[in-house]
Structures are given as structure tokens and as C-alpha cells.
């Protein structure tokens, strides 16, 4: 039973380029979450999606960042016109179809974005 | 606003000792808490969770204690091993929310052989 998959594991972009981060949730999971982690800091929530729906994007920057979770395929976190401050580790987590009280999230290995 | 914080950024222990990692939270509406372990270059790994209707929960070599009166959470690791060396995060969730986890800044546990 494969866990949460993320690719690429490492991504290097120059300022102004676009970054696309992919996340495939665990089998049977229809809830996906994206978090960002700066060095020596905790994870910060960005966005929560279900298939074809953005449920909570309260942690997403208003500009340049977008996320989707299409009916088919992985969830995508897209960062346009990257700046050096976007350099961070981006983690995806998934959880099963929500059951009462079942709120554990399983994390992927992360994508480490470096902006030159 | 919501926040979760930790008292000790780094904890150094000897192999075989018991370790205690502390966490304070500020959202009194939070009713679910998780401890994660994160090794270098990896994603957070679930250790143990606890719901607000409990004060204590035990797993294999780990115990989580919850004190809702002072909004404090702790993780106890018995007979700490070198493989336990990692950064440990507490995270909180409010059931009326959308499963968004609020993470603390983390405590680095260093275990010497």
C-alpha cells in the first residue's frame, strides 16, 4: 500500500519561472492538504482540497499560488513567477474520506524548492 | 489567532533515558492533537494522537499527556534510542474546522549513544 507520493523531490527554479509540484494521495484518500515548511520552522497550512473542489485556501498567498485536485490525476500546487522567498519544503498530506473523529493526515516526503 | 508553541527548541539525552517534549497551545477550541516525528529530509511521521476527552494516551514507548486547564501537551518517550533523534512537532486541530492542522515550531531531540 503505497504512501503519499510527491514529485519532484527536489526542484530548482530561477526567479520568474514557474514551479509545479505534484502530489498523489494514498489509495482511497480523497482529501489532500498542502503545507509549506521553512528551514527550522514548523509546517504552515496552505490549502485543503477534495476532488475538483478547493475547500479551504486560507493559507495560500493571494497572488502567484494556485492549487488543484482534478477528478483524474494528482493534486498540483503551482507557483508562478517564483521569488527567492518561495524557497521551502512543500509537503502534501492526505486523509481518508472523513469519518467522525478520524482526522489523521499522512504526509508525503515533500518537494524541496530552491529558487536561484 | 491560533498558535502552537514549544518550550524547548533542542533536547539532548543519553540513550536509555526517558525524554519529555513539551508543547503549549493557545486555541481553547482545539480538540484533537497529534505528535509527529520528522527526520532530516523526510516528511512528518505520525507518532500518536489524543482527543480532548482524554488526559493520557499510551503507545509503544510513547505517552502523550494533555492538560486542557493550562493548554499544555507533552510527549514522553521511554528508553530513548539513537533512532529517536529527529525533530518533533505537536499539531492541533479544531473539529469545527476543515482538518487543518496547526503546527508548532518543533523540538530537536538529540540522542547520544
Amino acid at each position: 500500500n503505497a504512501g503519499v507520493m510527491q514529485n519532484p523531490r527536489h526542484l530548482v527554479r530561477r526567479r520568474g519561472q514557474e514551479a509545479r509540484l505534484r502530489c498523489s494521495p494514498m489509495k482511497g484518500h480523497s482529501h489532500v492538504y498542502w503545507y509549506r515548511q521553512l528551514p527550522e520552522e514548523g509546517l504552515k497550512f496552505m490549502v485543503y482540497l477534495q476532488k475538483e473542489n478547493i475547500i479551504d485556501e486560507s493559507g495560500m498567498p493571494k497572488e502567484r499560488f494556485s492549487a488543484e485536485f482534478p477528478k483524474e490525476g494528482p493534486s498540483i500546487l503551482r507557483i508562478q513567477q517564483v521569488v527567492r522567498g518561495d524557497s521551502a519544503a512543500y509537503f502534501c498530506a492526505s486523509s481518508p474520506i472523513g469519518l467522525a473523529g478520524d482526522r489523521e493526515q499522512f504526509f508525503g516526503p515533500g518537494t524541496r524548492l530552491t529558487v536561484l | 489567532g491560533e498558535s502552537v508553541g514549544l518550550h524547548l527548541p533542542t533536547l539532548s539525552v543519553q540513550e536509555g533515558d526517558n525524554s519529555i517534549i513539551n508543547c503549549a497551545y493557545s486555541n481553547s477550541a482545539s480538540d484533537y492533537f497529534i505528535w509527529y516525528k520528522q527526520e532530516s529530509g523526510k516528511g512528518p511521521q505520525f507518532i500518536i494522537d489524543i482527543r480532548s476527552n482524554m488526559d493520557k494516551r499510551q503507545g509503544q514507548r510513547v505517552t502523550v499527556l494533555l492538560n486542557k486547564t493550562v493548554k499544555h501537551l507533552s510527549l514522553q518517550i521511554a528508553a530513548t534510542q539513537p533512532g529517536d533523534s529527529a525533530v518533533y512537532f505537536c499539531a492541533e486541530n479544531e473539529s469545527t474546522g476543515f482538518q487543518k492542522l496547526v503546527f508548532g515550531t518543533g523540538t530537536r531531540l538529540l540522542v547520544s549513544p
Side-chain angles (χ1 to χ4, degrees):
Chain A
N1 187 13
V4 178
M5 308 289 285
Q6 289 188 250
N7 69 82
R9 294 293 309 276
H10 300 274
L11 181 62
V12 179
R13 286 288 179 265
R14 296 190 181 280
R15 281 178 296 171
Q17 292 184 320
E18 178 180 288
R20 284 192 179 223
L21 288 62
R22 296 174 187 79
C23 169
S24 297
M26 287 180 68
K27 186 177 181 180
H29 288 192
S30 60
H31 301 228
V32 166
Y33 316 78
W34 285 94
Y35 293 83
R36 176 165 62 179
Q37 184 179 36
L38 296 174
E40 300 297 309
E41 293 189 8
L43 282 72
K44 297 290 193 293
F45 169 81
M46 299 181 73
V47 62
Y48 163 43
L49 312 100
Q50 295 180 20
K51 286 284 187 181
E52 301 184 278
N53 285 300
I54 297 174
I55 307 301
D56 181 358
E57 57 181 347
S58 59
M60 287 277 274
K62 299 300 181 189
E63 297 178 348
R64 302 187 298 108
F65 285 71
S66 62
E68 62 176 6
F69 189 16
K71 185 176 181 181
E72 301 293 336
S75 175
I76 305 289
L77 179 66
R78 181 184 179 201
I79 311 173
Q80 295 178 291
Q81 300 175 332
V82 296
V83 300
R84 285 191 176 149
D86 296 333
S87 295
Y90 292 83
F91 290 96
C92 171
S94 73
S95 65
I97 295 173
L99 301 173
D102 183 347
R103 284 172 273 172
E104 182 181 342
Q105 295 180 12
F106 298 84
F107 283 84
T111 293
R112 278 142 188 89
L113 173 66
T114 302
V115 179
L116 302 178
Chain B
E2 300 170 354
S3 66
V4 178
L6 295 175
H7 300 305
L8 299 174
T10 302
L11 176 64
S12 298
V13 301
Q14 295 288 323
E15 181 177 2
D17 287 352
N18 295 330
S19 302
I20 300 176
I21 300 172
N22 296 302
C23 176
Y25 64 95
S26 59
N27 183 7
S28 56
S30 291
D31 57 3
Y32 179 60
F33 304 87
I34 308 177
W35 280 101
Y36 284 97
K37 172 186 180 182
Q38 187 177 28
E39 297 174 284
S40 181
K42 297 184 179 180
Q45 177 187 356
F46 173 90
I47 301 173
I48 192 168
D49 61 1
I50 189 168
R51 306 192 189 285
S52 59
N53 60 351
M54 303 173 69
D55 297 323
K56 178 180 179 180
R57 191 167 187 217
Q58 288 184 293
Q60 190 174 23
R61 283 201 307 119
V62 295
T63 300
V64 55
L65 300 177
L66 176 62
N67 186 330
K68 295 180 288 294
T69 302
V70 295
K71 290 185 282 191
H72 183 268
L73 196 68
S74 69
L75 176 70
Q76 301 178 2
I77 305 174
T80 313
Q81 302 168 0
D84 294 327
S85 294
V87 177
Y88 290 80
F89 294 96
C90 64
E92 62 177 313
N93 173 249
E94 180 183 339
S95 62
T96 56
F98 288 114
Q99 300 187 19
K100 175 176 68 177
L101 292 175
V102 177
F103 282 79
T105 54
T107 292
R108 185 178 305 279
L109 177 65
L110 299 175
V111 183
S112 303

